[in-house]
Amino acid sequence: MTGALHDLSARELIAGYRAKRLSPVEVTQSVLDHVGRWEPRLQATWLLRPEAALEQARAAEARWTRGEPLGPLDGVPTTIKENIATRGDPMPAGTAATDLRPAAVDAPPAARLKEAGAVILAKTTMPDYGMLSSGLSSFHVLARNPWDLSRTPGGSSAGAGAAAAAGYGPLHIGTDIGGSLRLPAAWCGIFTLKPSLGRIPIDPPYMGRAAGPMTRTVADAALMMAPLSLADARDSMSLPPEAIDWSGFDVGVEHLRGLRIGLLLDAGCGLAVEPEIRAAVEHAARLFERAGAIVEPMQPFMTQTMLDGMDHLWRMRSRVDMNALRPDQRAKVLPYIRQWADSAEGFSGEHVFRAFSQFHATRVAAVAACAGYDYVISPTAPNLPAAAEAPSPTNDPLRPLEHIGFTVPFNMSEQPAASINCGYSSGGLPIGLQIAGRRFDDLGVLKVSRAFEQIRDPQRPWPEPPRD
């Protein structure tokens, strides 16, 4: 076990605690010190409370001393995305328009992490209502990408992606309704799993909405899945409890031999894939082939009509939400979001119905396209991260979702999909590979991701805090 305490994986920390080689208090203090060096530039956290974190760490240390750890994450520094309720804390949803009131209870993911003994360092930041793939927010300070502070970390799990890449402890959790876990994972060079819908109970549930782990390694994501996937009756869309051996994710590179893998290089809509991203994904495909997988090119199955339909329905939903605000609240919402929502004013009932129908059309197309394959690989995003100040890659509220053509279909089809780093641009920015599996095959996606983790090219060192 080598390296700074804040850089150790959760599995390394747990092994160190069990052997009494590491102290949860010393680890938490190391992470807090590291956050202190990064945070003035990165702005990834909200409600960062060092004393509360150290109090949790002291309790964990006492339990490890007695040989009675609370759960599989006891004493491991962790962050939680701001829109996952934590008891006693307000939940602004990234926007200054929200009246701040303390949450009465922990949402299911937060409850499971606390029950497992995780040390909660902070909440992580997000854009207004989670409707941007950036860290731009009317409530939080602008979040930035640790690989290049002039770039966005992505969103809406902006702070979580930045925190994981920067080494704010090993475990982070975000949410995803169209790519909000996978896009920041790709642009920050980390790993994430958007699980099958309902695999991780969440409150409130919503069509396509999932919570998932954001970590530097597949192993740490698998470690989080054990407590996060426990049942919670508050999620009416949750899957039946299932005894999944999440520790069985590491089955070796030989697991790839004979797998049929579809290679999707054209989303069929939105932005064209940038050449460096295409080259990195094609190289990943060749690595799969060398390991014995059967890789076959896929035709695009998404259409611009599908993407626009989902966009227009979400515009109308947001317009309804905007109209429910007081005038003083509405004025505080980011102008980009207001313009996007207001563009739905002239939509007819028939238009909204046809837009809503595209969610199901996307689901049917995704399932049919993937049916002949064990897994599908693709770029996570067609583009490298935009400028930090840009609300979206197009910077156009009337073309806001052009970058989610690869990610959003797997929200609608309820299939698990991961993002893992597969290379770097000429400017040193990470490039994400998406690995999607059949519905319910979350553990299989972790197995393939772990195998790719072992065959991919050597990874560059994680970014370090700038020196003044």
Side-chain angles (χ1 to χ4, degrees):
M1 191 180 303
T2 60
L5 294 179
H6 63 260
D7 274 332
L8 296 180
S9 71
R11 289 180 178 271
E12 289 173 319
L13 293 179
I14 292 297
Y17 297 159
R18 184 173 290 114
K20 296 183 170 51
R21 295 193 306 270
L22 294 176
S23 151
V25 174
E26 291 177 359
V27 168
T28 300
Q29 187 63 63
S30 174
V31 172
L32 289 168
D33 291 343
H34 187 66
V35 171
R37 292 187 288 272
W38 256 123
E39 193 61 356
R41 305 288 187 89
L42 213 56
Q43 301 295 343
T45 66
W46 185 58
L47 298 181
L48 176 65
R49 292 177 286 213
E51 284 308 314
L54 288 168
E55 182 179 353
Q56 296 170 59
R58 285 189 286 269
E61 186 159 310
R63 291 190 293 269
W64 280 109
T65 298
R66 297 194 304 269
E68 300 173 353
L70 188 60
L73 309 179
D74 205 358
V76 179
T78 306
T79 73
I80 298 175
K81 188 178 178 181
E82 182 249 280
N83 67 340
I84 297 173
T86 47
R87 185 171 62 86
D89 298 325
M91 194 168 63
T95 179
T98 302
D99 290 329
L100 299 181
R101 300 185 182 91
V105 296
D106 291 319
R112 300 296 88 77
L113 290 172
K114 290 182 179 180
E115 291 162 4
V119 171
I120 310 304
L121 289 179
K123 305 296 284 286
T124 49
T125 58
M126 59 182 282
D128 286 51
Y129 301 110
M131 293 310 299
L132 301 176
S133 291
S134 77
L136 185 64
S137 165
S138 61
F139 182 84
H140 302 294
V141 179
L142 177 65
R144 296 179 180 273
N145 191 319
W147 292 92
D148 181 343
L149 293 171
S150 73
R151 303 292 187 113
T152 182
S156 64
S157 302
Y168 288 21
L171 304 182
H172 311 269
I173 186 169
T175 61
D176 188 317
I177 201 171
S180 290
L181 285 164
R182 288 157 290 162
L183 294 167
W187 292 332
C188 292
I190 64 167
F191 178 77
T192 192
L193 172 69
K194 181 210 74 67
S196 301
L197 185 74
R199 178 67 71 201
I200 295 177
I202 195 168
D203 185 31
Y206 192 83
M207 177 177 59
R209 184 175 188 234
M214 302 180 76
T215 60
R216 287 181 169 185
T217 66
V218 177
D220 278 356
L223 188 66
M224 292 184 79
M225 287 300 296
L228 288 173
S229 60
L230 295 174
D232 194 302
R234 289 175 287 174
D235 186 347
S236 59
M237 301 171 77
S238 63
L239 297 176
E242 186 176 352
I244 297 175
D245 180 12
W246 297 105
S247 66
F249 71 96
D250 192 356
V251 290
V253 173
E254 59 273 13
H255 178 70
L256 300 178
R257 186 167 300 280
L259 290 181
R260 290 194 66 203
I261 295 179
L263 172 60
L264 184 66
L265 291 170
D266 180 358
C269 58
L271 297 174
V273 176
E274 294 180 10
E276 288 187 301
I277 295 174
R278 183 185 182 96
V281 172
E282 288 177 331
H283 177 63
R286 289 192 293 272
L287 294 178
F288 275 106
E289 286 182 316
R290 291 174 195 168
I294 303 164
V295 179
E296 300 176 3
M298 289 178 65
Q299 293 299 309
F301 58 86
M302 281 284 288
T303 67
Q304 194 66 41
T305 298
M306 292 174 184
L307 187 64
D308 289 346
M310 289 185 278
D311 173 23
H312 288 193
L313 190 280
W314 281 331
R315 292 188 201 192
M316 180 56 77
R317 183 192 71 174
S318 295
R319 182 172 184 271
V320 171
D321 291 342
M322 296 291 109
N323 287 343
L325 297 175
R326 302 186 308 268
D328 64 300
Q329 290 176 299
R330 195 177 190 282
K332 295 176 181 177
V333 178
L334 283 176
Y336 182 99
I337 296 287
R338 294 204 309 268
Q339 185 178 349
W340 175 68
D342 287 346
S343 68
E345 182 177 3
F347 290 174
S348 67
E350 179 180 345
H351 182 90
V352 174
F353 171 78
R354 291 186 182 281
F356 180 74
S357 299
Q358 296 307 312
F359 287 82
H360 185 67
T362 300
R363 178 193 184 104
V364 171
V367 172
C370 297
Y373 303 101
D374 297 307
Y375 301 93
V376 170
I377 61 174
S378 73
T380 304
N383 59 294
L384 295 168
E389 295 79 9
S392 73
T394 61
N395 202 20
D396 180 356
L398 301 184
R399 307 301 302 173
L401 304 183
E402 301 298 287
H403 55 292
I404 69 170
F406 289 106
T407 52
V408 71
F410 299 115
N411 293 84
M412 299 311 130
S413 67
E414 305 183 11
Q415 295 170 247
S419 181
I420 187 167
N421 194 59
C422 69
Y424 302 88
S425 72
S426 57
L429 294 169
I431 295 172
L433 176 75
Q434 182 173 242
I435 302 173
R438 294 174 181 170
R439 192 176 176 209
F440 311 131
D441 189 22
D442 305 74
L443 180 58
V445 170
L446 289 178
K447 289 178 179 179
V448 173
S449 298
R450 172 57 183 152
F452 179 72
E453 194 175 44
Q454 293 170 283
I455 63 174
R456 66 182 175 179
D457 294 345
Q459 298 296 285
R460 299 183 183 181
W462 293 101
E464 291 291 335
R467 295 182 180 180
D468 293 324

Short mmCIF file of all heavy atoms in Angstrom, two decimals, residues 14-23 63-67:
data_model
loop_
_atom_site.label_atom_id
_atom_site.label_comp_id
_atom_site.label_asym_id
_atom_site.label_seq_id
_atom_site.Cartn_x
_atom_site.Cartn_y
_atom_site.Cartn_z
N ILE A 14 -10.13 0.00 3.62
CA ILE A 14 -10.77 -1.01 4.46
C ILE A 14 -9.76 -2.07 4.89
O ILE A 14 -9.73 -2.49 6.07
CB ILE A 14 -11.96 -1.66 3.71
CG1 ILE A 14 -13.08 -0.64 3.50
CG2 ILE A 14 -12.47 -2.88 4.45
CD1 ILE A 14 -13.70 -0.11 4.78
N ALA A 15 -8.90 -2.48 3.99
CA ALA A 15 -7.86 -3.47 4.35
C ALA A 15 -6.92 -2.89 5.39
O ALA A 15 -6.51 -3.59 6.34
CB ALA A 15 -7.08 -3.88 3.10
N GLY A 16 -6.59 -1.61 5.25
CA GLY A 16 -5.72 -0.96 6.22
C GLY A 16 -6.36 -0.80 7.58
O GLY A 16 -5.71 -0.96 8.62
N TYR A 17 -7.65 -0.49 7.60
CA TYR A 17 -8.36 -0.38 8.88
C TYR A 17 -8.43 -1.74 9.57
O TYR A 17 -8.22 -1.86 10.78
CB TYR A 17 -9.79 0.13 8.66
CG TYR A 17 -9.91 1.52 8.07
CD1 TYR A 17 -11.09 1.91 7.43
CD2 TYR A 17 -8.87 2.44 8.15
CE1 TYR A 17 -11.23 3.18 6.90
CE2 TYR A 17 -9.00 3.72 7.61
CZ TYR A 17 -10.19 4.08 6.98
OH TYR A 17 -10.32 5.33 6.45
N ARG A 18 -8.72 -2.76 8.76
CA ARG A 18 -8.87 -4.10 9.35
C ARG A 18 -7.55 -4.58 9.95
O ARG A 18 -7.55 -5.21 11.02
CB ARG A 18 -9.34 -5.07 8.26
CG ARG A 18 -9.63 -6.48 8.78
CD ARG A 18 -10.25 -7.36 7.70
NE ARG A 18 -11.62 -6.92 7.42
CZ ARG A 18 -12.02 -6.40 6.25
NH1 ARG A 18 -11.16 -6.25 5.26
NH2 ARG A 18 -13.28 -6.04 6.08
N ALA A 19 -6.44 -4.25 9.30
CA ALA A 19 -5.13 -4.66 9.80
C ALA A 19 -4.55 -3.68 10.81
O ALA A 19 -3.43 -3.88 11.29
CB ALA A 19 -4.17 -4.82 8.62
N LYS A 20 -5.31 -2.61 11.09
CA LYS A 20 -4.89 -1.57 12.03
C LYS A 20 -3.61 -0.85 11.57
O LYS A 20 -2.83 -0.36 12.39
CB LYS A 20 -4.74 -2.14 13.44
CG LYS A 20 -6.06 -2.64 14.02
CD LYS A 20 -5.91 -3.14 15.44
CE LYS A 20 -7.27 -3.41 16.08
NZ LYS A 20 -8.18 -4.27 15.30
N ARG A 21 -3.41 -0.82 10.24
CA ARG A 21 -2.29 -0.06 9.68
C ARG A 21 -2.70 1.37 9.37
O ARG A 21 -1.84 2.24 9.23
CB ARG A 21 -1.78 -0.73 8.39
CG ARG A 21 -1.18 -2.10 8.57
CD ARG A 21 -0.42 -2.54 7.31
NE ARG A 21 -1.26 -2.45 6.13
CZ ARG A 21 -2.03 -3.44 5.67
NH1 ARG A 21 -2.06 -4.60 6.32
NH2 ARG A 21 -2.74 -3.30 4.59
N LEU A 22 -3.99 1.60 9.25
CA LEU A 22 -4.50 2.93 8.89
C LEU A 22 -5.55 3.37 9.90
O LEU A 22 -6.25 2.54 10.49
CB LEU A 22 -5.12 2.91 7.49
CG LEU A 22 -4.19 2.66 6.30
CD1 LEU A 22 -5.01 2.59 5.01
CD2 LEU A 22 -3.12 3.73 6.19
N SER A 23 -5.64 4.66 10.06
CA SER A 23 -6.60 5.26 10.99
C SER A 23 -7.64 6.05 10.20
O SER A 23 -7.29 6.92 9.40
CB SER A 23 -5.87 6.20 11.95
OG SER A 23 -6.70 7.25 12.39
N ARG A 63 -14.96 1.90 16.34
CA ARG A 63 -15.57 0.62 15.96
C ARG A 63 -14.52 -0.35 15.42
O ARG A 63 -14.53 -1.54 15.75
CB ARG A 63 -16.67 0.86 14.92
CG ARG A 63 -17.90 1.57 15.47
CD ARG A 63 -19.04 1.56 14.47
NE ARG A 63 -18.79 2.35 13.28
CZ ARG A 63 -19.11 3.65 13.14
NH1 ARG A 63 -19.69 4.30 14.14
NH2 ARG A 63 -18.85 4.29 12.01
N TRP A 64 -13.60 0.15 14.58
CA TRP A 64 -12.55 -0.73 14.06
C TRP A 64 -11.64 -1.23 15.19
O TRP A 64 -11.19 -2.39 15.18
CB TRP A 64 -11.72 -0.01 13.00
CG TRP A 64 -12.37 0.03 11.65
CD1 TRP A 64 -12.93 1.10 11.01
CD2 TRP A 64 -12.53 -1.07 10.75
NE1 TRP A 64 -13.43 0.73 9.78
CE2 TRP A 64 -13.18 -0.59 9.60
CE3 TRP A 64 -12.17 -2.43 10.81
CZ2 TRP A 64 -13.51 -1.41 8.52
CZ3 TRP A 64 -12.48 -3.25 9.74
CH2 TRP A 64 -13.13 -2.75 8.61
N THR A 65 -11.38 -0.38 16.17
CA THR A 65 -10.55 -0.78 17.31
C THR A 65 -11.21 -1.94 18.07
O THR A 65 -10.53 -2.86 18.54
CB THR A 65 -10.33 0.41 18.25
OG1 THR A 65 -9.63 1.44 17.55
CG2 THR A 65 -9.51 0.00 19.48
N ARG A 66 -12.54 -1.88 18.16
CA ARG A 66 -13.29 -2.96 18.83
C ARG A 66 -13.47 -4.17 17.93
O ARG A 66 -13.97 -5.21 18.38
CB ARG A 66 -14.67 -2.47 19.26
CG ARG A 66 -14.66 -1.35 20.29
CD ARG A 66 -16.05 -1.17 20.90
NE ARG A 66 -17.08 -0.92 19.89
CZ ARG A 66 -17.45 0.29 19.46
NH1 ARG A 66 -16.84 1.37 19.94
NH2 ARG A 66 -18.41 0.42 18.56
N GLY A 67 -13.11 -4.03 16.64
CA GLY A 67 -13.35 -5.12 15.71
C GLY A 67 -14.80 -5.25 15.32
O GLY A 67 -15.26 -6.35 14.99
#
